[in-house]
Amino acid sequence: MIERLAVGAYRGTMTAAAAAARLASRLPGTPARWRALGARLGRLTDDERALASGAPAVWLHAASVGELNAARPLLRRLRERFAERLCVVSTLSLTGLELARSTPEAHLALLLPLDAPGTVRRLLAPFQLEAFCFTETEIWPTLLAELAARGVPTFMVSGRVGSGTMRHARWLRPLYRHALAGVDCCMQSEEDAQRILALGADPRRVQVAGSLKFDGAAADPPPDVLRLDAALGARRMIVAGSTHAGEDEMVLEAFRRVLAGRADLTLLLAPRHPERLAAVADLVRAAGFPLARYSELATLEKGQAPAVILLDVVGPLAHCYALGVIAFVGGSLVPVGGHNVLEPARAGRPVLVGPHTEHAADTVERLIAGGAALRVSSAESLVWALAGLLDEPVRMADMGRRARALVEGGQGAVERHLKIIAARLSMTRFARATG
């Protein structure tokens, strides 16, 4: 009874949200965030509809740019294993969609619809889905229920359940138990497995397969990264990746203080959200630093990088970590939960994080315990950590080696995921053939 009420209330709320988004997307003067929701109403162009109906499909959903980058090795192996299938990739953001459309593994890229029955059915209608995979914590009850009703094998890959979700487990369980009933959950850790069980997943369908982020391998650097390398010359670069509002100010203050007596430093500042670029550029100028945008590096002479470079392009952050000497990973000095620490660790760079790393708690603790990362709590402690490493190059290099070794030791998740997916699909085909 409680479960039916929870599902009904959720679907009613999402249906109302979809109706509001449909109306708002058509009205002049509507805020941009509401107009953007109009792209998440399950509509396909004629060309997309023809492509969707042309062949059986395997679908991967990754909410963010980071999750999509982490899942690409799995997508690549799925495309190799199921060669004649259409590979569909969906995201939640326009920046993620831009990356998905440039991803060679994807035949079709789109935005996931709002989780209302009408929008979900509209989008799924033309597809002949053989499998649907979704990353980390992207549990959408209406979508998952519709996939189950259609008999589509569904997989949570690189699954993660944060402590914040567990604080609301009592209220989420009636909704999530219904959504997860037919989902094979491939979890990052044993703790994640126990948490997804507490949310109502079927114990027979829960396995620990590891984090796909450990298996990510950077491709050859694009030409613009090589231009950045040339612009740096002999300068040492500190990379502050995925920063949020309130964090940029602390990073800039720490950089100002460590710059004293170390004139060979450059800071690469990479805001998490592109819409904040103009505001962050204003902060840099207000702090009195010479600034160049990453997209303008072609205009710089070799070795002429300014004090601060603003990363205004989606995609190259992982390559930029490899050009730096130290990495600070944002979303951690402010209460966001932290972002991907494996990209700088894979590049062999010491990693600095703030106190808020709930989204990657297990990985961060492994890096800290292994001598590959340091936790800071403020701009003041960030100054001390940066200055200490910059003045001890041997220690800095040792932390980088430890970071890379820890990442290499966690690899193998892609093949574990692939075995689970392939086994389930084989069982499904057998059941259909004999049913």
Side-chain angles (χ1 to χ4, degrees), residues 294-315:
Y294 178 89
S295 59
E296 300 168 349
L297 291 176
T299 64
L300 297 178
E301 298 293 330
K302 184 174 182 179
Q304 296 301 307
V308 179
I309 296 172
L310 185 62
L311 184 60
D312 59 349
V313 176
V314 175

mmCIF file of all heavy atoms in Angstrom, residues 294-315:
data_model
loop_
_atom_site.group_PDB
_atom_site.id
_atom_site.type_symbol
_atom_site.label_atom_id
_atom_site.label_comp_id
_atom_site.label_asym_id
_atom_site.label_seq_id
_atom_site.Cartn_x
_atom_site.Cartn_y
_atom_site.Cartn_z
ATOM 1 N N TYR A 294 41.809 29.269 -22.026
ATOM 2 C CA TYR A 294 42.386 28.089 -22.667
ATOM 3 C C TYR A 294 42.148 28.123 -24.174
ATOM 4 O O TYR A 294 43.025 27.751 -24.964
ATOM 5 C CB TYR A 294 41.754 26.850 -22.038
ATOM 6 C CG TYR A 294 42.196 25.523 -22.605
ATOM 7 C CD1 TYR A 294 43.299 24.858 -22.097
ATOM 8 C CD2 TYR A 294 41.474 24.919 -23.632
ATOM 9 C CE1 TYR A 294 43.683 23.625 -22.596
ATOM 10 C CE2 TYR A 294 41.851 23.690 -24.143
ATOM 11 C CZ TYR A 294 42.957 23.052 -23.623
ATOM 12 O OH TYR A 294 43.340 21.827 -24.132
ATOM 13 N N SER A 295 40.975 28.579 -24.590
ATOM 14 C CA SER A 295 40.645 28.612 -26.017
ATOM 15 C C SER A 295 41.461 29.636 -26.792
ATOM 16 O O SER A 295 41.429 29.643 -28.024
ATOM 17 C CB SER A 295 39.154 28.902 -26.195
ATOM 18 O OG SER A 295 38.821 30.146 -25.595
ATOM 19 N N GLU A 296 42.204 30.501 -26.090
ATOM 20 C CA GLU A 296 42.996 31.541 -26.747
ATOM 21 C C GLU A 296 44.499 31.238 -26.744
ATOM 22 O O GLU A 296 45.297 32.106 -27.102
ATOM 23 C CB GLU A 296 42.768 32.882 -26.033
ATOM 24 C CG GLU A 296 41.310 33.337 -26.033
ATOM 25 C CD GLU A 296 41.064 34.506 -25.085
ATOM 26 O OE1 GLU A 296 41.968 34.829 -24.275
ATOM 27 O OE2 GLU A 296 39.966 35.091 -25.171
ATOM 28 N N LEU A 297 44.872 30.019 -26.360
ATOM 29 C CA LEU A 297 46.296 29.710 -26.191
ATOM 30 C C LEU A 297 47.083 29.813 -27.488
ATOM 31 O O LEU A 297 48.297 30.040 -27.471
ATOM 32 C CB LEU A 297 46.459 28.303 -25.608
ATOM 33 C CG LEU A 297 46.006 28.134 -24.155
ATOM 34 C CD1 LEU A 297 46.122 26.682 -23.729
ATOM 35 C CD2 LEU A 297 46.824 29.017 -23.226
ATOM 36 N N ALA A 298 46.403 29.651 -28.619
ATOM 37 C CA ALA A 298 47.110 29.726 -29.906
ATOM 38 C C ALA A 298 47.744 31.094 -30.119
ATOM 39 O O ALA A 298 48.685 31.238 -30.912
ATOM 40 C CB ALA A 298 46.159 29.404 -31.055
ATOM 41 N N THR A 299 47.262 32.098 -29.392
ATOM 42 C CA THR A 299 47.802 33.451 -29.568
ATOM 43 C C THR A 299 49.029 33.708 -28.698
ATOM 44 O O THR A 299 49.655 34.765 -28.806
ATOM 45 C CB THR A 299 46.724 34.496 -29.227
ATOM 46 O OG1 THR A 299 46.387 34.376 -27.834
ATOM 47 C CG2 THR A 299 45.471 34.274 -30.060
ATOM 48 N N LEU A 300 49.375 32.762 -27.820
ATOM 49 C CA LEU A 300 50.502 32.964 -26.904
ATOM 50 C C LEU A 300 51.801 32.441 -27.505
ATOM 51 O O LEU A 300 51.816 31.431 -28.206
ATOM 52 C CB LEU A 300 50.237 32.249 -25.575
ATOM 53 C CG LEU A 300 49.041 32.726 -24.752
ATOM 54 C CD1 LEU A 300 48.897 31.881 -23.499
ATOM 55 C CD2 LEU A 300 49.190 34.187 -24.388
ATOM 56 N N GLU A 301 52.878 33.106 -27.186
ATOM 57 C CA GLU A 301 54.200 32.643 -27.591
ATOM 58 C C GLU A 301 54.640 31.494 -26.686
ATOM 59 O O GLU A 301 54.157 31.334 -25.565
ATOM 60 C CB GLU A 301 55.219 33.783 -27.490
ATOM 61 C CG GLU A 301 54.917 34.964 -28.396
ATOM 62 C CD GLU A 301 55.070 34.604 -29.866
ATOM 63 O OE1 GLU A 301 55.893 33.722 -30.174
ATOM 64 O OE2 GLU A 301 54.360 35.211 -30.701
ATOM 65 N N LYS A 302 55.569 30.693 -27.160
ATOM 66 C CA LYS A 302 56.076 29.578 -26.383
ATOM 67 C C LYS A 302 56.669 30.080 -25.072
ATOM 68 O O LYS A 302 57.446 31.027 -25.052
ATOM 69 C CB LYS A 302 57.135 28.818 -27.181
ATOM 70 C CG LYS A 302 57.666 27.569 -26.469
ATOM 71 C CD LYS A 302 58.595 26.789 -27.366
ATOM 72 C CE LYS A 302 59.085 25.526 -26.655
ATOM 73 N NZ LYS A 302 59.989 24.721 -27.507
ATOM 74 N N GLY A 303 56.259 29.437 -23.975
ATOM 75 C CA GLY A 303 56.772 29.802 -22.671
ATOM 76 C C GLY A 303 56.186 31.068 -22.106
ATOM 77 O O GLY A 303 56.674 31.587 -21.089
ATOM 78 N N GLN A 304 55.107 31.594 -22.693
ATOM 79 C CA GLN A 304 54.541 32.875 -22.268
ATOM 80 C C GLN A 304 53.193 32.718 -21.561
ATOM 81 O O GLN A 304 52.358 33.621 -21.607
ATOM 82 C CB GLN A 304 54.374 33.800 -23.480
ATOM 83 C CG GLN A 304 55.677 34.191 -24.132
ATOM 84 C CD GLN A 304 56.600 34.917 -23.148
ATOM 85 O OE1 GLN A 304 56.202 35.891 -22.522
ATOM 86 N NE2 GLN A 304 57.821 34.437 -23.009
ATOM 87 N N ALA A 305 52.978 31.597 -20.895
ATOM 88 C CA ALA A 305 51.718 31.410 -20.167
ATOM 89 C C ALA A 305 51.596 32.458 -19.066
ATOM 90 O O ALA A 305 52.573 32.757 -18.378
ATOM 91 C CB ALA A 305 51.667 30.013 -19.559
ATOM 92 N N PRO A 306 50.402 33.024 -18.873
ATOM 93 C CA PRO A 306 50.211 34.013 -17.803
ATOM 94 C C PRO A 306 50.080 33.328 -16.446
ATOM 95 O O PRO A 306 50.158 32.095 -16.341
ATOM 96 C CB PRO A 306 48.908 34.695 -18.214
ATOM 97 C CG PRO A 306 48.151 33.604 -18.894
ATOM 98 C CD PRO A 306 49.177 32.780 -19.625
ATOM 99 N N ALA A 307 49.841 34.124 -15.410
ATOM 100 C CA ALA A 307 49.716 33.564 -14.064
ATOM 101 C C ALA A 307 48.523 32.625 -13.956
ATOM 102 O O ALA A 307 48.594 31.590 -13.296
ATOM 103 C CB ALA A 307 49.600 34.693 -13.042
ATOM 104 N N VAL A 308 47.409 32.970 -14.622
ATOM 105 C CA VAL A 308 46.193 32.161 -14.517
ATOM 106 C C VAL A 308 45.649 31.861 -15.908
ATOM 107 O O VAL A 308 45.558 32.761 -16.752
ATOM 108 C CB VAL A 308 45.113 32.875 -13.673
ATOM 109 C CG1 VAL A 308 43.844 32.019 -13.608
ATOM 110 C CG2 VAL A 308 45.618 33.157 -12.262
ATOM 111 N N ILE A 309 45.299 30.599 -16.121
ATOM 112 C CA ILE A 309 44.626 30.170 -17.347
ATOM 113 C C ILE A 309 43.254 29.638 -16.950
ATOM 114 O O ILE A 309 43.135 28.823 -16.029
ATOM 115 C CB ILE A 309 45.425 29.078 -18.081
ATOM 116 C CG1 ILE A 309 46.773 29.637 -18.541
ATOM 117 C CG2 ILE A 309 44.645 28.542 -19.284
ATOM 118 C CD1 ILE A 309 47.715 28.586 -19.107
ATOM 119 N N LEU A 310 42.213 30.095 -17.620
ATOM 120 C CA LEU A 310 40.848 29.665 -17.344
ATOM 121 C C LEU A 310 40.452 28.601 -18.365
ATOM 122 O O LEU A 310 40.424 28.862 -19.572
ATOM 123 C CB LEU A 310 39.904 30.864 -17.423
ATOM 124 C CG LEU A 310 38.443 30.630 -17.040
ATOM 125 C CD1 LEU A 310 38.324 30.191 -15.592
ATOM 126 C CD2 LEU A 310 37.623 31.900 -17.277
ATOM 127 N N LEU A 311 40.158 27.401 -17.891
ATOM 128 C CA LEU A 311 39.761 26.311 -18.788
ATOM 129 C C LEU A 311 38.311 26.536 -19.198
ATOM 130 O O LEU A 311 37.391 26.319 -18.409
ATOM 131 C CB LEU A 311 39.929 24.958 -18.098
ATOM 132 C CG LEU A 311 39.642 23.728 -18.953
ATOM 133 C CD1 LEU A 311 40.563 23.680 -20.163
ATOM 134 C CD2 LEU A 311 39.773 22.445 -18.146
ATOM 135 N N ASP A 312 38.106 26.972 -20.426
ATOM 136 C CA ASP A 312 36.762 27.317 -20.911
ATOM 137 C C ASP A 312 36.274 26.354 -21.986
ATOM 138 O O ASP A 312 35.398 26.694 -22.781
ATOM 139 C CB ASP A 312 36.738 28.752 -21.435
ATOM 140 C CG ASP A 312 37.724 28.987 -22.580
ATOM 141 O OD1 ASP A 312 38.570 28.109 -22.833
ATOM 142 O OD2 ASP A 312 37.649 30.049 -23.225
ATOM 143 N N VAL A 313 36.827 25.146 -22.013
ATOM 144 C CA VAL A 313 36.467 24.116 -22.988
ATOM 145 C C VAL A 313 36.138 22.836 -22.225
ATOM 146 O O VAL A 313 36.839 22.474 -21.274
ATOM 147 C CB VAL A 313 37.623 23.863 -23.976
ATOM 148 C CG1 VAL A 313 37.287 22.727 -24.930
ATOM 149 C CG2 VAL A 313 37.952 25.134 -24.747
ATOM 150 N N VAL A 314 35.075 22.145 -22.622
ATOM 151 C CA VAL A 314 34.694 20.891 -21.971
ATOM 152 C C VAL A 314 35.528 19.743 -22.541
ATOM 153 O O VAL A 314 35.666 19.616 -23.753
ATOM 154 C CB VAL A 314 33.195 20.593 -22.195
ATOM 155 C CG1 VAL A 314 32.829 19.224 -21.632
ATOM 156 C CG2 VAL A 314 32.335 21.679 -21.551
ATOM 157 N N GLY A 315 36.102 18.925 -21.671
ATOM 158 C CA GLY A 315 36.763 17.704 -22.140
ATOM 159 C C GLY A 315 38.220 17.520 -21.803
ATOM 160 O O GLY A 315 38.625 16.408 -21.454
#
